[in-house]
Amino acid sequence: MEKFKKRWEIQQNWQLLFPFLGLIGLGYSVFRLSKVMVTDDSLVLLGLTSCILFFVLLKFTLFIFKKLESKWVLDYRWEMIRVFIVFAITGSSSMYVGRPIMQLIGITKENLNPILYWILFIIIGLIFYQILLVTFGWLFGQFKFFWEFEKKMLKRMGLKRILD
């Protein structure tokens, strides 16, 4: 455990919450993916698929951490896990918030061209993504990081005037 704490620069035990939440989130995602991939009711096949996917995605995530470590300015390595959790929650939440908003406005698949519906769905999802990213970043104690990230993203989208 000390080796793990040293590798992720964890000074206090409460900081272990983020690697734990990351592993739980990865496990849940792998299980859901495995259920889609395995169509029969074989628990052995589902378990095997889940284990293989967990290992592959964990290795891929650690690879991404190494690549982003020099790019993102964070005080400690464990904060990268917190940032990834915020991105995951924000991505899912923006779509869950966007769908009821579209229904409230009266936009449904039935009363609109499917292509136009999905374009509007993505636009509304992106709008809420920007708001939720900073909000969840603040809730997870990473407001400064996500505010700088948001400013970069808006500049790349050509919306620099909003920030001025």
Side-chain angles (χ1 to χ4, degrees), residues 80-119:
M80 289 185 69
I81 299 168
R82 186 161 52 171
V83 167
F84 269 66
I85 291 171
V86 169
F87 278 125
I89 292 171
T90 303
S92 301
S93 300
S94 66
M95 293 299 128
Y96 285 118
V97 169
R99 190 166 286 128
I101 296 296
M102 287 183 65
Q103 289 175 345
L104 186 68
I105 296 171
I107 300 172
T108 63
K109 292 178 191 175
E110 290 78 29
N111 68 2
L112 198 61
N113 180 329
I115 294 172
L116 187 57
Y117 172 83
W118 286 109
I119 290 171

Side-chain angles (χ1 to χ4, degrees), residues 9 11 72-79 82 142 144:
E9 299 174 348
Q11 288 85 27
W72 289 350
V73 180
L74 296 166
D75 295 332
Y76 302 104
R77 293 177 90 193
W78 64 268
E79 290 179 317
R82 186 161 52 171
Q142 290 291 328
K144 183 180 175 187

Side-chain angles (χ1 to χ4, degrees), residues 16-162:
L16 285 168
L17 175 69
F18 296 105
F20 180 71
L21 286 175
L23 288 172
I24 288 175
L26 181 64
Y28 177 72
S29 300
V30 161
F31 178 71
R32 295 290 303 255
L33 280 171
S34 296
K35 283 186 78 168
V36 170
M37 293 171 63
V38 177
T39 55
D40 59 359
D41 293 333
S42 171
L43 290 177
V44 174
L45 189 58
L46 181 67
L48 184 62
T49 306
S50 295
C51 288
I52 291 169
L53 270 176
F54 186 86
F55 177 75
V56 169
L57 289 177
L58 181 62
K59 287 293 185 183
F60 179 69
T61 304
L62 293 173
F63 171 76
I64 291 173
F65 279 174
K66 281 189 177 185
K67 293 292 181 186
L68 292 174
E69 192 172 22
S70 61
K71 209 174 196 184
W72 289 350
V73 180
L74 296 166
D75 295 332
Y76 302 104
R77 293 177 90 193
W78 64 268
E79 290 179 317
M80 289 185 69
I81 299 168
R82 186 161 52 171
V83 167
F84 269 66
I85 291 171
V86 169
F87 278 125
I89 292 171
T90 303
S92 301
S93 300
S94 66
M95 293 299 128
Y96 285 118
V97 169
R99 190 166 286 128
I101 296 296
M102 287 183 65
Q103 289 175 345
L104 186 68
I105 296 171
I107 300 172
T108 63
K109 292 178 191 175
E110 290 78 29
N111 68 2
L112 198 61
N113 180 329
I115 294 172
L116 187 57
Y117 172 83
W118 286 109
I119 290 171
L120 287 173
F121 184 72
I122 290 169
I123 290 170
I124 290 172
L126 281 172
I127 291 168
F128 281 102
Y129 183 84
Q130 308 305 319
I131 297 165
L132 291 171
L133 187 65
V134 176
T135 304
F136 285 124
W138 174 73
L139 287 173
F140 276 80
Q142 290 291 328
F143 177 79
K144 183 180 175 187
F145 174 83
F146 284 104
W147 182 242
E148 294 301 318
F149 189 87
E150 188 69 32
K151 288 194 291 190
K152 276 188 211 174
M153 191 182 321
L154 289 174
K155 285 179 187 175
R156 288 180 184 154
M157 293 171 135
L159 301 172
K160 185 178 180 182
R161 290 176 283 153
I162 292 175

